[in-house]
């Protein structure tokens, strides 16, 4: 079946490719069905907020620096692996017979594989209540909208995260001698617990070419929208700087507000708000 014919099945096929370490096929599917816009949340309390917007800087990190210590971990079912290995030589392995086996060296190798790539994380929505709370300092920050097609070439490996109930089992890689794709270690980094599903995350990967575990990429003129948090007025000076900068470049700006019909967040064009003389949700 052609990629264009997958339609609502594309996520299932994409997931199957990742489980088989077929990263090229998975990337091709993701590229075809990727969103046109992606979003990143920022806090004004970060010392880098001005660079993030005025200099178009996007930070990349290794998973070691992420807030989830289980992120990108390679989970191997060692007992099943040993059983299969012993079965191949006509023997049977059991914990009772062979006792405890120290897998420390294996774990060290897996931690090395975990940090072969730098990652930057994005969402497909600027309206996530939890994202505003966690990454934009309790709704006081801002969210930038990036045009995917305008991102620099080194940021074009954009892949969606798969949310699962059980850890990604990478045991089969030990028996797959034909894996030559240097991007195969990406696969575990694309599986996260269902607890994180609200993030609706897509990740950009860049190979780690030196010993640095961070990197800054300038995303050119890829910012196509700016969303201000519900409480961003608490940082009025910084907000005014952004508004002046955005007005010079004709970049649309939006105010995040609460829907009066539900707990959902909505956004309204700041230009429309001001043209109708509406401020902070009140008619004046």
């Amino acid at each position: 079946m052609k990629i264009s014919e997958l339609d609502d099945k594309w996520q299932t096929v994409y997931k199957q490719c990742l489980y088989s370490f077929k990263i090229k096929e998975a990337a091709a599917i993701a590229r075809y069905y990727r969103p046109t816009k992606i979003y990143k949340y920022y806090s004004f309390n970060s010392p880098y907020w001005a660079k993030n917007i005025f200099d178009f800087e996007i930070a990349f990190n290794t998973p070691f620096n992420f807030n989830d210590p289980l992120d990108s971990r390679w989970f191997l079912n060692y007992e099943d692996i040993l059983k299969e290995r012993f079965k191949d030589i006509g023997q049977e392995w059991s914990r009772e017979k062979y006792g405890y086996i120290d897998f420390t060296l294996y774990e060290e190798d897996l931690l090395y594989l975990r940090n072969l790539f730098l990652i930057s994380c994005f969402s497909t929505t600027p309206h996530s209540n939890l994202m505003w709370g966690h990454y934009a300092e309790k709704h006081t920050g801002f969210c930038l909208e990036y045009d995917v097609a305008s991102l620099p070439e080194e940021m074009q490996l954009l892949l969606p995260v798969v949310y699962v109930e059980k850890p990604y089992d990478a045991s089969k890689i030990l028996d797959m001698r034909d894996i030559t794709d240097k991007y195969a270690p990406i696969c575990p980094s694309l599986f996260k617990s269902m607890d994180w599903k609200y993030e609706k995350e897509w990740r950009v990967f860049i190979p780690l070419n030196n010993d640095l575990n961070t990197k800054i990429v300038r995303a050119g003129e890829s910012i196509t929208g700016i969303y201000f948090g519900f409480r961003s007025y608490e940082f009025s000076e910084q907000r005014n700087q952004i508004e002046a900068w955005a007005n010079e470049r004709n970049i649309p700006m939006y105010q995040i507000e609460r829907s009066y019909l539900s707990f959902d967040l909505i956004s309204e064009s700041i230009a429309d708000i001001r043209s109708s003389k509406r401020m902070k949700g009140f008619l004046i």
Side-chain angles (χ1 to χ4, degrees):
M1 181 180 291
K2 296 180 181 179
I3 292 178
S4 60
E5 298 174 348
L6 293 176
D7 295 328
D8 58 348
K9 299 184 182 68
W10 75 267
Q11 291 174 312
T12 300
V13 178
Y14 168 79
K15 180 179 177 181
Q16 293 170 347
C17 289
L18 293 178
Y19 272 124
S20 301
F21 290 93
K22 296 179 180 179
I23 192 65
K24 289 183 178 179
E25 291 86 344
I29 293 172
R31 187 176 183 86
Y32 186 86
Y33 290 99
R34 68 184 185 180
T36 57
K37 308 289 184 181
I38 52 178
Y39 302 86
K40 200 170 185 69
Y41 295 75
Y42 295 94
S43 167
F44 281 121
N45 285 323
S46 166
Y48 308 108
W49 74 265
K51 290 182 176 293
N52 292 141
I53 184 165
F54 301 142
D55 296 334
F56 302 96
E57 289 188 355
I58 296 177
F60 283 75
N61 289 280
T62 59
F64 179 80
N65 294 319
F66 290 174
N67 57 356
D68 178 9
L70 301 181
D71 199 309
S72 304
R73 290 295 296 268
W74 286 64
F75 292 94
L76 300 184
N77 189 328
Y78 291 113
E79 292 196 7
D80 283 353
I81 292 171
L82 288 171
K83 289 177 182 178
E84 287 299 318
R85 293 291 172 85
F86 273 70
K87 184 178 180 180
D88 289 342
I89 59 175
Q91 298 183 31
E92 183 177 347
W93 181 90
S94 68
R95 182 182 291 273
E96 292 76 17
K97 183 177 181 180
Y98 290 94
Y100 174 77
I101 297 178
D102 185 2
F103 295 110
T104 304
L105 292 178
Y106 288 101
E107 292 294 337
E108 290 178 356
D109 288 340
L110 295 177
L111 286 175
Y112 166 76
L113 292 173
R114 179 193 187 199
N115 292 307
L116 285 177
F117 290 84
L118 295 168
I119 303 171
S120 194
C121 307
F122 300 83
S123 177
T124 58
T125 177
H127 299 119
S128 171
N129 199 344
L130 289 173
M131 295 287 277
W132 280 106
H134 293 167
Y135 299 105
E137 199 66 33
K138 302 175 184 177
H139 295 249
T140 62
F142 61 99
C143 176
L144 297 182
E145 174 187 277
Y146 297 92
D147 177 60
V148 171
S150 300
L151 293 173
E153 184 61 32
E154 64 179 322
M155 288 185 61
Q156 288 301 309
L157 185 54
L158 176 65
L159 303 169
V161 167
V162 177
Y163 301 99
V164 290
E165 296 286 352
K166 296 181 179 180
Y168 173 84
D169 188 349
S171 303
K172 67 177 66 177
I173 196 172
L174 298 182
D175 292 317
M176 297 176 69
R177 311 300 186 199
D178 58 344
I179 294 182
T180 58
D181 191 340
K182 66 178 181 179
Y183 287 91
I186 284 177
C187 294
S189 296
L190 290 164
F191 287 80
K192 296 181 68 173
S193 164
M194 295 293 289
D195 292 341
W196 299 93
K197 190 174 181 179
Y198 70 89
E199 294 188 335
K200 299 179 180 179
E201 185 178 348
W202 283 63
R203 293 183 160 185
V204 176
F205 292 83
I206 296 178
L208 182 62
N209 295 321
N210 50 48
D211 294 331
L212 298 177
N213 60 5
T214 60
K215 181 178 180 178
I216 299 298
V217 176
R218 286 181 171 80
E221 299 291 328
S222 58
I223 297 176
T224 54
I226 302 169
Y227 293 76
F228 291 106
F230 191 75
R231 297 169 53 205
S232 60
Y233 289 102
E234 295 181 17
F235 290 87
S236 58
E237 181 180 346
Q238 294 90 329
R239 176 171 171 149
N240 289 339
Q241 292 180 47
I242 292 178
E243 289 195 37
W245 178 86
N247 283 327
E248 290 179 359
R249 291 163 176 77
N250 294 317
I251 297 176
M253 292 177 287
Y254 305 89
Q255 176 62 48
I256 293 293
E257 298 183 355
R258 176 176 63 87
S259 169
Y260 289 96
L261 300 176
S262 69
F263 288 113
D264 295 338
L265 296 179
I266 59 174
S267 55
E268 292 195 52
S269 166
I270 289 179
D272 291 344
I273 292 174
R274 289 182 175 159
S275 65
S276 61
K277 297 184 179 181
R278 293 176 64 248
M279 294 290 289
K280 299 184 182 179
F282 295 92
L283 289 173
I284 60 173

